[in-house]
Amino acid sequence: MSNKQVTLSTKKYMPDPNYRKEAWCKDAEHAYQGYITDPDGFWARISHELEWFQPWETVKEWQYPFARWFINGKTNVSYNCLDRHIAGHRRNKVAIFWQGDDGSTRSLTYWQLLREVERFANGLKSLGVGKGDTVCIYMPNVPEQIIAMLACARIGAVHSVVFAGFGSDALHARITGAGAKVVITADASIRRGKTIPLKPILEEALINATSVDHVVVLRTQTPKISLLSDFERDFYELMEESDKNCAPESMDAEDPLFILYTSGTTGQPKGIVHTTGGYMVGTYYTSKYVLDIKDSDVYWCTADPGWITGHSYIVYGPLLMGATIFITEGTPDYPDAGIWWKYIEKFGISIMYTAPTAIRMFMRFGEEYPNRYDLSSLRLLGSVGEPLNPEAFEWFYHTIGKGKLPIVDTWWQTETGMHMITTMIGEPMKPGFAGKPIPGILIDIVDKEGKPVPPGISGQLIIKEPWPSMVRMVHQNEERYRLYWSGPENSFTASDLAVRDEEGYVMILGRSDDLIIVSGHNIGTAEVESALVAHKAVAEAAVVGIPDEMKGNRILAFVLLREGFIETPKLKQDLLYHVRITLGPIAVPSEIRVVDSLPKTRSGKIMRRVLRATELGEDPGDLSTIEE
Ligand code: WTA
């Protein structure tokens, strides 16, 4: 990777000064300096806003590359998300507003949510789940998914949530990788008015998944699908049969809270492990100071709980703040592209946290849709998942924010657990730039030698000091974990390219490894390639990311066919279908190109950058290692 000069825009939007007066974060610069002068004191103060069954003794222990946070502190995240509010003034406050695709709505107060979580937690116990056991959750975006997550946290079980859009092979790898004892699923999810069965995908995934003792099924369809007695249990029957009180397990700050798989640069996904205390403090801190959640807000994060954004900023962070959250199972353009704006009007949503890919989709449909609805309840907009390009920023700012609302473009990762870089509310915003590191986070941008690059020159983004919600381990892969901390001076390497301007604002330029971010979802090229070569017609495959106006990137696949197979439209369809079934719709290439050979190094590695450059008509760079 060479360090390139990047031309940076100097456009700035100055926010209304009142925002800063009202915000939780009144002075980001002051807070930032507060961290520098006393790093441990900074995190200690935040941790004291949450409840600990036993106070911690030391803020952190950093023995490169392993960190422990809030040593010997005992707490429970579900207790902090629920019981803490029940004891206070939020007992009857709505915790979850849910909107179904068919127009039906439901709501749960904090009191009701706690009741359900306790019963379901006891239900899990009756299935033999205890502290330290892993539970896989494969569900659509319904309140029961949140209930399941919190119930695991309550009894100290480690949840591993798998996005419901994943196919059977991807699900199998995640179930067996984590050794899940119980899998919680639903009969179906509803998308665009259609029922999409989920359970059959799970059944396929369970073949040879020997760790699984039970499956719990949320049955929403009529007539109800039948269940295998003993092995399969109904979600609500299990709950009804269980005792109503379940004391929260006392968890050590370093006990794992969850595993979340994310795409790797090899074919295997990485099981990112987050722990109790640090993750709780990190997501609480950023939900408060970055998302600025207040008691009067109705907060909507449009992600799915199956991704880290959903874990940190649908479930844990906002509930730790005692927020009223809104969730929906529906899609943004069904029944039409006005549906999201309709929800904002209907529920009085005040904070909307979404993704650039969604914003770009709405741009295409035009202003007509948002202009039909009253969006005056909105006070803060947020973006996550991929760069918010200036055009999308401008549209979001003017059409949705009416030229008044702050936008927090938050850069972070599954591995960081919480926001790392953004423009704090009340600070001047620069389209195209995520912003500066938040108070508590030290970053740098470095060249190949690990030396910091000057403003305007691109380089690798690194994080210089540990933070509470940092990844603790890659499940059963310490070597991979260690690789994260292989940056200069023992820093964390984000594998993102970035550039800074004179004022320290950071622009994220994209991944520097073999991950492709498609509509905000990380897809490993190797994962798609192995899915393709698993098809009998394919001898070799290479997958590259090509810039796409809507999705950020799209997947282009090159395949070399085996002897006896010829290129036909039907074969290409088959290959796409094969990827859809095994990995899921998000990983399906937008195009398959049949080729006679693939560019390789002499040691046999496929040179994806050459394919990509040729495709884009760019200079392929150094070809000295290419095979004849
Ligand atoms: C990208 C999602 C630019 C980045 C929270 C990162 C972003 C990867 C932004 C992590 C942003 C996330 N601007 N790029 N605001 N947010 N990314 O693990 O490449 O699903 O490394 O976590 O998404 O994706 P992940």
Side-chain angles (χ1 to χ4, degrees):
M1 188 249 340
S2 52
N3 304 97
K4 291 200 190 108
Q5 176 97 38
V6 184
T7 316
L8 300 173
S9 139
T10 52
K11 187 164 186 184
K12 230 186 216 186
Y13 283 107
M14 302 306 283
D16 181 335
N18 281 326
Y19 266 106
R20 189 185 265 211
K21 275 190 225 144
E22 305 276 317
W24 283 116
C25 180
K26 301 224 177 334
D27 188 344
E29 189 49 40
H30 184 256
Y32 198 85
Q33 289 312 322
Y35 171 79
I36 307 277
T37 16
D38 179 12
D40 285 357
F42 178 91
W43 293 116
R45 280 191 295 282
I46 294 157
S47 81
H48 293 319
E49 295 183 21
L50 294 157
E51 274 185 47
W52 298 80
F53 304 151
Q54 177 182 303
W56 47 262
E57 290 154 12
T58 317
V59 170
K60 72 167 184 286
E61 254 174 39
W62 172 231
Q63 274 181 325
Y64 173 82
F66 302 105
R68 294 170 66 225
W69 284 84
F70 307 111
I71 313 297
N72 291 333
K74 306 273 186 257
T75 186
N76 182 288
V77 181
S78 105
Y79 179 89
N80 273 285
C81 286
L82 301 170
D83 310 56
R84 197 165 59 90
H85 306 311
I86 304 289
H89 62 281
R90 300 191 183 106
R91 172 185 295 251
N92 299 322
K93 180 177 172 179
V94 171
I96 304 176
F97 277 127
W98 177 80
Q99 167 81 52
D101 174 281
D102 61 354
S104 59
T105 57
R106 280 157 65 190
S107 62
L108 284 168
T109 63
Y110 271 92
W111 174 262
Q112 291 172 316
L113 183 58
L114 174 62
R115 295 271 72 81
E116 308 234 314
V117 167
E118 288 194 76
R119 273 195 198 274
F120 195 70
N122 282 327
L124 288 176
K125 277 189 184 169
S126 75
L127 298 181
V129 178
K131 188 171 176 172
D133 289 333
T134 307
V135 172
C136 173
I137 302 176
Y138 181 63
M139 296 180 94
N141 201 349
V142 289
E144 287 83 354
Q145 175 164 187
I146 298 177
I147 292 169
M149 290 168 77
L150 292 170
C152 288
R154 193 155 194 94
I155 62 174
V158 180
H159 60 66
S160 165
V161 181
V162 179
F163 174 57
F166 275 117
S168 56
D169 282 12
L171 178 59
H172 176 86
R174 285 157 176 78
I175 291 172
T176 51
K181 223 171 162 175
V182 166
V183 183
I184 308 169
T185 191
D187 49 3
S189 66
I190 315 285
R191 309 273 303 164
R192 302 172 181 280
K194 287 207 200 88
T195 306
I196 301 168
L198 271 189
K199 176 118 180 316
I201 302 174
L202 173 63
E203 282 165 16
E204 183 87 28
L206 284 179
I207 297 170
N208 295 327
T210 48
S211 62
V212 179
D213 295 334
H214 291 283
V215 169
V216 181
V217 187
L218 172 70
R219 289 188 290 182
T220 56
Q221 302 295 305
T222 35
K224 284 190 174 171
I225 58 164
S226 54
L227 301 177
L228 296 175
S229 59
D230 282 354
F231 180 67
E232 297 178 338
R233 302 294 307 275
D234 176 84
F235 191 98
Y236 278 102
E237 282 167 22
L238 180 68
M239 210 149 109
E240 293 312 318
E241 286 162 18
S242 301
D243 200 50
K244 66 178 179 214
N245 294 117
C246 177
E249 191 74 33
S250 176
M251 303 299 288
D252 187 85
E254 280 302 319
D255 279 335
L257 178 66
F258 66 84
I259 299 180
L260 181 60
Y261 281 89
T262 180
S263 291
T265 50
T266 65
Q268 285 308 308
K270 300 170 290 203
I272 301 298
V273 179
H274 281 288
T275 56
T276 300
Y279 180 80
M280 177 173 82
V281 170
T283 54
Y284 169 82
Y285 162 61
T286 42
S287 296
K288 180 169 177 178
Y289 291 101
V290 175
L291 296 172
D292 196 47
I293 296 177
K294 309 244 175 60
D295 257 328
S296 51
D297 283 310
V298 179
Y299 164 88
W300 182 19
C301 167
T302 68
D304 185 281
W307 308 110
I308 192 67
T309 303
H311 281 59
S312 300
Y313 300 113
I314 294 177
V315 184
Y316 290 112
L319 296 181
L320 286 166
M321 285 299 292
T324 296
I325 68 169
F326 170 76
I327 57 171
T328 173
E329 192 180 0
T331 25
D333 56 351
Y334 178 85
D336 66 39
I339 191 71
W340 278 17
W341 317 118
K342 188 175 175 174
Y343 293 157
I344 288 178
E345 178 181 292
K346 178 173 168 184
F347 290 90
I349 289 160
S350 51
I351 303 177
M352 182 195 204
Y353 187 34
T354 189
T357 184
I359 298 168
R360 289 191 296 259
M361 186 201 79
F362 289 124
M363 281 171 74
R364 203 185 50 179
F365 287 113
E367 303 195 343
E368 179 209 340
Y369 287 102
N371 287 350
R372 274 188 211 160
Y373 299 96
D374 178 356
L375 305 181
S376 61
S377 57
L378 286 171
R379 70 172 187 90
L380 174 64
L381 304 174
S383 172
V384 57
E386 56 187 317
L388 180 62
N389 49 303
E391 298 73 24
F393 179 98
E394 298 283 351
W395 192 87
F396 205 26
Y397 186 72
H398 291 288
T399 306
I400 306 305
K402 313 294 178 202
K404 289 197 294 244
L405 305 188
I407 297 179
V408 288
D409 173 7
T410 57
W411 176 87
W412 58 294
Q413 306 178 303
T414 305
E415 292 83 348
T416 69
M418 68 176 210
H419 303 145
M420 296 273 116
I421 298 176
T422 195
T423 301
M424 300 291 280
I425 193 168
E427 297 290 311
M429 293 169 278
K430 296 186 177 182
F433 291 84
K436 299 183 192 176
I438 67 171
I441 300 303
L442 302 185
I443 63 135
D444 215 333
I445 300 174
V446 298
D447 63 15
K448 267 194 288 238
E449 281 75 48
K451 284 207 279 306
V453 291
I457 303 291
S458 70
Q460 292 282 348
L461 179 62
I462 61 162
I463 305 169
K464 292 173 26 170
E465 286 183 2
W467 62 100
S469 64
M470 60 185 255
V471 47
R472 294 299 196 278
M473 183 45 73
V474 176
H475 187 59
Q476 294 176 338
N477 194 346
E478 187 179 313
E479 203 185 322
R480 183 60 192 84
Y481 172 80
R482 286 177 178 275
L483 214 58
Y484 280 122
W485 291 95
S486 59
E489 292 170 28
N490 296 345
S491 60
F492 177 92
T493 50
S495 298
D496 270 347
L497 295 175
V499 60
R500 227 175 341 200
D501 72 1
E502 297 286 348
E503 288 182 303
Y505 277 63
V506 177
M507 174 183 282
I508 306 292
L509 301 168
R511 299 288 306 183
S512 62
D513 60 7
D514 285 330
L515 290 189
I516 310 175
I517 306 214
V518 183
S519 301
H521 301 142
N522 289 359
I523 316 254
T525 49
E527 248 175 314
V528 183
E529 288 162 3
S530 31
L532 284 168
V533 295
H535 190 282
K536 61 179 187 308
V538 179
E540 275 187 286
V543 159
V544 296
I546 301 290
D548 181 274
E549 229 176 87
M550 290 283 294
K551 302 180 190 169
N553 292 287
R554 62 192 169 86
I555 302 174
L556 173 60
F558 296 87
V559 298
L560 210 79
L561 296 180
R562 283 184 191 282
E563 282 287 314
F565 289 90
I566 48 160
E567 178 182 354
T568 61
K570 165 84 172 57
L571 177 66
K572 285 189 182 175
Q573 267 329 102
D574 279 358
L575 293 179
L576 294 177
Y577 182 72
H578 174 75
V579 178
R580 174 178 294 268
I581 292 300
T582 53
L583 286 182
I586 51 166
V588 175
S590 64
E591 191 184 339
I592 292 200
R593 201 102 28 101
V594 175
V595 291
D596 296 331
S597 68
L598 291 168
K600 284 188 192 157
T601 61
R602 290 194 195 97
S603 59
K605 277 202 188 120
I606 296 173
M607 297 178 85
R608 296 191 190 86
R609 73 175 161 85
V610 175
L611 284 168
R612 192 169 177 279
T614 314
E615 181 66 24
L616 295 175
E618 289 172 357
D619 173 15
D622 179 13
L623 291 177
S624 61
T625 58
I626 206 165
E627 195 188 40
E628 279 313 303

